[in-house]
Amino acid sequence: MKQVICMRHDLKMRRGKQIAQGAHASMAFLSDRLREKGAISLDDFSEVERTWLSAAFAKVCCRIDSEDELMEIHDKAVAAGLEVHLITDSGRTEFHGQPTRTCLAIGPDLAEKIDEITGHLQLL
């Protein structure tokens, strides 16, 4: 079980900005469920997701070199039926006021399912 965070490296974000964007992507898995359902319980998650939540919360951060590559990974993960959360920064502190797609999180799910989409990427 794992979650993979794919971070755009071409944006040359400050390290703190990268960390914040990755945290947004990772937390979107839970925060979206809260927004959808209000209060949530473990019954609101699949067996795979419950296993990840009760284990080590394994996360892997990978490098993406362009928005096109980010969206290609996004589309492949969606087509594979994986949980995917794309993060678009508002642009208030970086990116000159332009909303900018910075990263995405895939999963949590079985490592082999996610690796079919992200296994070729470099670690960040």
Side-chain angles (χ1 to χ4, degrees):
M1 309 293 157
K2 69 178 177 181
Q3 183 180 63
V4 173
I5 300 165
C6 301
M7 182 72 59
R8 283 185 60 191
H9 194 70
D10 62 306
L11 295 173
K12 309 233 184 293
M13 288 179 273
R14 294 172 289 120
R15 182 70 64 204
K17 183 70 167 183
Q18 279 186 327
I19 293 166
Q21 294 299 295
H24 290 319
S26 182
M27 288 298 299
F29 162 67
L30 293 173
S31 61
D32 284 0
R33 297 279 169 96
L34 284 168
R35 277 193 290 276
E36 291 168 8
K37 298 181 181 281
I40 57 175
S41 72
L42 285 178
D43 294 334
D44 293 318
F45 298 96
S46 71
E47 182 179 341
V48 169
E49 293 166 342
R50 284 192 304 271
T51 300
W52 184 77
L53 286 166
S54 64
F57 288 102
K59 294 176 198 67
V60 176
C61 297
C62 296
R63 171 187 172 140
I64 298 288
D65 291 319
S66 68
E67 183 176 16
D68 287 343
E69 186 180 10
L70 183 75
M71 295 312 298
E72 180 182 328
I73 295 293
H74 172 274
D75 295 348
K76 285 180 181 178
V78 168
L82 295 167
E83 179 97 18
V84 183
H85 297 277
L86 178 65
I87 302 303
T88 301
D89 184 72
S90 65
R92 283 181 276 201
T93 61
E94 290 190 27
F95 314 125
H96 311 289
Q98 277 296 86
T100 303
R101 293 175 176 151
T102 58
C103 64
L104 61 81
I106 303 172
D109 213 313
L110 298 172
E112 50 272 10
K113 288 173 71 176
I114 297 174
D115 288 348
E116 287 181 23
I117 309 296
T118 63
H120 67 285
L121 298 174
Q122 285 184 324
L123 295 177
L124 188 62

